[in-house]
Structure formats: C-alpha cells, structure tokens
Amino acid sequence: MSDIVKIFDTTLRDGEQSPGASMNTEEKIQIAKQLEKLGVDIIEAGFAAASPGDFEAINRISEIVKKSTVCSLARAVEKDIKAAGEAIKPAKKKRIHTFIATSDIHMKYKLRMSPDEVVKRAIEAIKFAKEFANDIEFSCEDAGRSEMSFLKEIIDEAIKAGAKTINIPDTVGYRLPHEMGEMIKELKEFIGDRAIISVHCHNDLGLATANSLYSVLNGARQVECTINGLGERAGNAALEEVVMAIKTRKDIFEGIETNINTKEIYPTSRLVSTITGIEPQPNKAIVGRNAFAHESGIHQDGVLKHKETYEIMRAEDIGFETNSIVLGKHSGRHAFKEKIKSLGFDLSNDEINKAFERFKILADRKKEITDDDLRMIITSELTSIPEIYKLKKLQINDCSEGVPSAAVTIEHNGKEITDAGIGDGTIDAIFKTIDRISGYSGTLNDYEVKAVSKGKDALAKVVVKVVFDENKPAVIGHGLSIDTMMASAKAYIGALNSFISMRDILKKKSCVEGDDI
C-alpha cells in the first residue's frame, strides 16, 4: 500500500456550494491553476450536469490543467455521467466521480429505492462511466450512517464494475474520530489492494479534519477536502489542516506523505478567500490572520528566544513570509514584479503590465500598498471577464437633504454614454442609472463591502449578487476602489458583463448543437 495520501480538492464543487461562494468561469480557472501549483492530485472542478456554467468551467479547466487529474461529479444517472464525460474530455488526466446514497434513511426517503435497486444502479453507472474515462471513483453517499454489511456488498460490486477509488463520505458529519477510524480499518481489510479508499468528511460537529486523519491512520489513501474548509453547511475537512497535521506529526504519520507544496498553502488560501469573499476566521488553524500571531507577553518572550516554544510550524512552510519590499507610487516595474512573485503569482508579461497599471493608479491615491491590496489587484485582473461595458466616470450627490442622484459615464462599443438618475439611496441611484444606459434591468440580491486593508485610505472591495433574468441564477460582480461608491459601480457593471458573457457562451453552444435559442 502506497504511503502517499492523494489530496482530492473539491473547493470548486463542494466549496462553491457554500452560501455566497459562487464563482464565474474565469475565477474557477484561476483557482484551478493555483491548485495545480499547490500540488493537488485531483481537482474536482464541478458538477457538469448542474448547470451550463459548471460544464463550461470544467471543460475550460480540462484544457488548461496538465499535472493534476481533472474530475467531474455525477449522480448515478446516464445524463449526469454523459455530461461529466464530455466536460472532462480535453483533460490529460481525467476522472468521473459518481455516487449514490447507501444509508437506510437516504434510500427510503430520498431515493425511494430498495438496496438491491441501489446496487444495480451503482453497477450500471460505473460501467457507463467507463465509456468516458478509465479512472472512476464511486462514493457511498452518507456512508457514515450506512450499515457495514450493505457497504461491503455495494463496494464489492462497484470494484468489480471498474471503480478504482471507493469514497466513504461522512456526509452529515455524524461520526466521531475513533468510529471513522474503525470503519475504515474494517473496510481496508475487506477491500485490500483492490481499490484506493478515500474519505470525504463534513464538519457539522467540528470533527472533519480529525475524522480524515483517523481514516488515514487506518488505511485511507485519499482525502477529499477544500481550501479554508469551505463547503455545504459547516464545511469540509480543510486541506491545509490535513496536510500540515501529516507533515508536522511525522512521529504519528510515520512514512506517510502528500504531494502538496506547502509553501503554496497561504497564497492559495488568500486567492480563494479573495475570489469568494469568504474570509477564514482570525483564529482559523494554519491560515487564519492570528495563526502565527502572539499577543501575550509570555508568549512573545518565548518566541523571541526560541520560536519552537510556542510555534509547532514555521510560517515560512505555508508560504507566509515577511518581505521587506514596501511598494508605493515611486516603485518601479522590477520591484513590483519581484513583489508579486514573492506572493506566489506567476504572471505573463501582459498580465504584469495590466496589473502594474492598476497598481500605479492606486498608488497615486494610497501612500502604502499592502500585500492584501496587491493580491486583490492581481486576482481582480486575472479573473476579469470581457469588459462589454466599462465604467469611465462617476459623480454622486448623496447629501442628507434632497434626493440622492448619480451621474455615470460608461464606455460601450468604443463610445462613451453619460446619463444621470435618482434613487432611494446613492447605491440605488448608481445602479438604476447603469440599468438605463445599458438597457438591462437588474435586481440586487446581495451587497457586501469589505476593507481590504486598514487605514482611512483602505482599499474597498464590494461584492454584489444580481439577477438580470428571473429564469436564470444570480451572477456575482466584484469591484475594487478606495472609493466605496466607485467600487460598487464597478461591481454592478462586473456582474452585468458576467451575465452577458455567460449568455453569449450559451447562445454559441446552442447554435453549435442545433438547439432553439
């Protein structure tokens, strides 16, 4: 049995199911590229049958990622599996991950199928999936509450049908660590070397990482996890916690390793939190803002004398490094390039030039540019979509007396269009004016503003969720500026551009397939 534990990252699938964590295709591609740089073995890029957007993202990622295996989730039904197979077709290394529930409560109330019907469906699904990929993973959904005798029965048939990886999910985070360990130990003895055992632990009781680690100690050789522990409800096992526990406690995990480049952990965490807008709690293990901070005088004294008195890991090992280069408006391109390289970004010359232009604009208004400012600038540049509409000017009147108004100038098809409007508030006036200029009408579902850094000149990040077509899901837009109103306008226009771009992609796809539009 190999002592390499494969890391299966599902940030782009299960992680995206966190409320508010939806990402557009360009953002997913950027995260996938960083996951490959991190050394993730398998990237679960999405659920191809869930939406045209998911299919498009998986397909694009399959074309770009070369080192990691690209995987799509699929229910044990033919249309899901076919969509997954077509989405991952361009991938150099591809996997289909199919699943069906195996617990009594799921089979009775959700599936309304007998155990024999579930086994039959699983076999048919795996055999059909083999027509699209050789690497098939089969999951027993809600395995944590399934009968062991039935688990063995369906796993045996799944392996015979061609599954190379058997995933044992604790779907509702029900199991305690020793229970999870005992379950994996018994299944390891039953399965032997016929397939790799994987675990996918949810964090409903705060035990996802512990359950995953106990599983590894008892024979699991794949762990399904997410960056920052994102995921349904309370989330999943956090990749950074699982990996660093194995690395730090070599006395317990003797001979067991992962392929993760741990120096890319912190840059990956920051990228995901920047794109999703979901920040890890300050005291989050490994990647939280306070993870390597010491306020207590006793702790500070100890760390200054010898770091290991209060630190069991080095901040440098996860890519959290102090850099003496401070950037400002007088900084040159070379210093800028070296700084972003130290932050973990690998940009083309064209991307560097565009990011540098945005940096210079910000530097004229902000005395000192922080690392988080830079990460936000670069991430925004790398994940940007075509600027069908581009904000040129914004003027507002938000006086306490009178009606809030906004004058907006937008560039479209090479022409600048200016209009003004009123609203129930300043933000409402800005958005209504943009609607009138563009001819689209959006309904704001969510609005969030955060300070990227500290101080009166802090860079503001605004995230909006807007519905432009009631028959289609909401789209997300991001805006970045020292001025919150400007950031809000940029975010709304970003959402509009995202909506139009996705609509155009679907139109092209429909025309190619001969569908009615």
Side-chain angles (χ1 to χ4, degrees), residues 53 80 101 108 118 128 151 183 192 283 310 336 395 403 407 472 476 482 495 516:
D80 278 27
K108 180 178 179 181
V118 169
F128 184 58
L151 278 178
M183 173 187 276
N283 62 329
Y310 288 101
F336 177 78
Q395 183 176 331
V403 180
K472 292 184 170 56
I476 290 179
I482 288 178
D516 292 331

Side-chain angles (χ1 to χ4, degrees), residues 6 95-96 126 130 133-138 158-167 191 193-198 222:
K6 292 184 177 181
R95 172 182 293 192
I96 292 177
I126 293 165
K130 290 282 286 181
N134 289 323
D135 187 357
I136 307 300
E137 175 174 336
F138 174 70
I159 294 171
K160 288 177 183 176
K164 294 182 179 180
T165 301
I166 300 296
N167 186 40
I191 293 171
D193 293 334
R194 294 185 295 158
I196 292 172
I197 296 178
S198 172
Q222 177 177 292

Side-chain angles (χ1 to χ4, degrees), residues 248 307-308 310-314:
T248 304
K307 280 191 175 183
E308 290 184 19
Y310 288 101
E311 290 185 4
I312 61 172
M313 296 168 285
R314 298 190 316 154

Side-chain angles (χ1 to χ4, degrees), residues 277-485:
I278 300 175
E279 289 285 337
Q281 65 201 58
N283 62 329
K284 166 75 174 66
I286 317 298
V287 295
R289 187 172 67 245
N290 297 342
F292 293 93
H294 304 276
E295 185 171 333
S296 162
I298 296 172
H299 287 212
Q300 290 173 345
D301 179 63
V303 168
L304 288 171
K305 290 175 178 175
H306 189 73
K307 280 191 175 183
E308 290 184 19
T309 53
Y310 288 101
E311 290 185 4
I312 61 172
M313 296 168 285
R314 298 190 316 154
E316 297 92 324
D317 288 343
I318 65 162
F320 189 89
E321 298 184 31
T322 302
N323 196 299
S324 60
I325 299 176
V326 177
L327 296 181
K329 69 177 182 178
H330 298 298
S331 299
R333 193 180 302 270
H334 180 72
F336 177 78
K337 185 176 180 179
E338 289 302 310
K339 181 66 174 180
I340 60 175
K341 186 177 179 181
S342 74
L343 293 176
F345 291 98
D346 184 16
L347 276 61
S348 67
N349 286 333
D350 185 52
E351 289 169 336
I352 289 171
N353 291 337
K354 289 180 180 178
F356 185 68
E357 287 176 13
R358 295 187 66 175
F359 157 72
K360 278 294 189 180
I361 293 170
L362 178 62
D364 278 335
R365 303 184 63 189
K366 200 171 189 294
K367 184 177 180 181
E368 185 178 314
I369 311 298
T370 68
D371 287 359
D372 282 339
D373 289 335
L374 286 172
R375 288 190 181 95
M376 193 67 70
I377 289 170
I378 297 163
T379 302
S380 179
E381 185 62 49
L382 292 177
T383 59
S384 62
I385 56 175
E387 289 188 303
I388 301 161
Y389 290 93
K390 184 176 181 180
L391 181 65
K392 301 298 289 185
K393 297 176 185 177
L394 173 66
Q395 183 176 331
I396 59 171
N397 177 15
D398 59 352
C399 59
S400 56
E401 296 182 6
V403 180
S405 64
V408 182
T409 300
I410 294 176
E411 183 181 307
H412 178 56
N413 290 334
K415 296 180 179 179
E416 290 191 0
I417 308 167
T418 301
D419 204 343
I422 60 174
D424 294 331
T426 307
I427 298 293
D428 187 49
I430 292 170
F431 292 175
K432 283 180 177 176
T433 305
I434 294 171
D435 282 349
R436 193 155 66 231
I437 293 173
S438 66
Y440 292 86
S441 181
T443 301
L444 185 65
N445 272 14
D446 195 19
Y447 175 89
E448 183 179 7
V449 59
K450 288 184 179 179
V452 174
S453 49
K454 295 180 180 180
K456 63 182 181 180
D457 61 351
L459 194 62
K461 178 188 179 184
V462 173
V463 180
V464 297
K465 187 178 287 187
V466 188
V467 174
F468 289 101
D469 184 337
E470 62 182 16
N471 296 315
K472 292 184 170 56
V475 289
I476 290 179
H478 301 265
L480 205 60
S481 177
I482 288 178
D483 184 275
T484 304
M485 295 300 104

